[in-house]
């Protein structure tokens, strides 16, 4: 049995034109799906399916809490999430998309909703997320402030020594660092 078999919905096997079910997505779910935005949380998902013509409307209502990193102190924080999303699905010859309609192979007639649910939750996290006023990790804030000051000093020092480099070499100095290199550096620094 696959990790996400519990999230398979047998659309073709629906006996009525409506169907509903509920999922509770917990830490285990988020760890298994291993997405970049959320690793922990507890979210209830209500899924209602309505079939009209050959189209299945899958309505997802998510409500819960996920753990994300606070933008200010970098500690974990609980972020409430709530979203309502609809996915339209129809049966066809192979996996594809037709405008905003997801097509799944007719001979299987099954859709796995695990990644849809993950995406809806991830997309509902606000761009900026910080602890409520006064709730940030003070020790961490102190360390971060100290670190930021230190690296600012180092940068000043680096600039000074750079100024002493003969002019020929100075023109080769990476003053305007390629943004892609910055991204790469972040990855290296994290390891
Ligand atoms: Zn914080």
């Amino acid at each position: 049995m696959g990790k996400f078999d519990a999230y398979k919905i047998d659309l073709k096997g629906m006996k009525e034109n409506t169907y509903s079910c509920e999922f509770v997505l917990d830490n285990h779910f988020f760890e298994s799906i291993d997405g970049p935005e959320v690793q922990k949380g507890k979210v209830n998902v209500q899924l209602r399916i309505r079939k009209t013509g050959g189209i299945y409307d899958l309505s997802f209502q998510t409500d819960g809490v996920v753990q994300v990193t606070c933008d200010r102190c970098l500690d974990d924080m609980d972020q409430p999430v709530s979203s309502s999303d609809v996915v339209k699905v129809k049966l066809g010859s192979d996996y594809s998309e037709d405008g905003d309609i997801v097509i799944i192979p007719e001979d299987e007639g099954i859709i796995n909703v695990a990644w849809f649910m993950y995406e809806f939750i991830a997309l509902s996290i606000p761009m900026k997320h910080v602890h409520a006023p006064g709730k940030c990790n003070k020790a961490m804030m102190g360390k971060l402030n100290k670190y930021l000051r230190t690296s600012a000093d180092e940068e000043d020092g680096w600039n000074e020594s750079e100024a002493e480099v003969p002019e020929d070499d100075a023109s080769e100095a990476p003053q305007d660092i390629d943004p892609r290199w910055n991204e790469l550096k972040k990855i290296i620094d994290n390891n």
Side-chain angles (χ1 to χ4, degrees):
M1 187 160 155
K3 271 199 281 191
F4 300 107
D5 280 1
Y7 307 100
K8 282 181 176 174
I9 310 282
D10 182 2
L11 294 180
K12 207 165 85 170
M14 270 170 61
K15 294 199 170 56
E16 318 259 330
N17 284 332
T18 58
Y19 174 77
S20 60
C21 60
E22 195 178 334
F23 298 103
V24 179
L25 309 180
D26 55 8
N27 289 350
H28 177 71
F29 172 84
F30 291 108
E31 279 159 22
S32 306
I33 210 154
D34 199 23
E37 298 91 349
V38 188
Q39 275 81 45
K40 280 180 180 172
K42 187 163 190 195
V43 181
N44 277 289
V45 182
Q46 292 272 356
L47 170 58
R48 286 195 184 81
I49 303 176
R50 205 180 43 167
K51 184 186 173 191
T52 34
I55 308 279
Y56 300 85
D57 278 306
L58 281 62
S59 306
F60 296 86
Q61 173 67 47
T62 69
D63 286 290
V65 172
V66 294
Q67 274 189 14
V68 293
T69 306
C70 170
D71 290 336
R72 204 187 293 139
C73 71
L74 305 183
D75 232 4
D76 279 349
M77 59 169 280
D78 288 338
Q79 172 67 52
V81 287
S82 173
S83 67
S84 303
D85 300 274
V86 176
V87 177
K88 288 179 186 296
V89 183
K90 68 178 182 185
L91 306 179
S93 55
D94 209 345
Y95 287 103
S96 60
E97 275 174 49
D98 176 8
D100 60 347
I101 302 177
V102 176
I103 300 171
I104 58 167
E106 189 163 12
D107 45 345
E108 290 173 31
I110 290 171
I111 187 163
N112 192 315
V113 295
W115 185 253
F116 286 107
M117 294 191 291
Y118 175 79
E119 274 203 327
F120 295 144
I121 292 164
L123 289 171
S124 73
I125 298 170
M127 219 40 145
K128 189 173 168 62
H129 34 80
V130 293
H131 282 110
K135 299 287 181 199
C136 275
N137 181 333
K138 291 198 176 63
M140 187 73 100
M141 293 282 284
K143 272 185 209 159
L144 277 173
N145 283 334
K146 201 176 156 200
Y147 172 76
L148 288 174
R149 268 200 304 275
T150 312
S151 48
D153 290 347
E154 274 169 13
E155 204 159 286
D156 286 341
W158 183 79
N159 282 337
E160 273 166 36
S161 62
E162 196 61 37
E164 288 161 16
V165 172
E167 230 171 55
D168 288 353
D169 291 338
S171 66
E172 308 237 321
Q175 280 165 347
D176 212 342
I177 295 171
D178 186 327
R180 282 170 303 177
W181 168 243
N182 277 334
E183 288 306 314
L184 183 63
K185 196 161 175 296
K186 264 185 233 163
I187 295 166
I188 295 167
D189 288 347
N190 283 340
N191 285 327

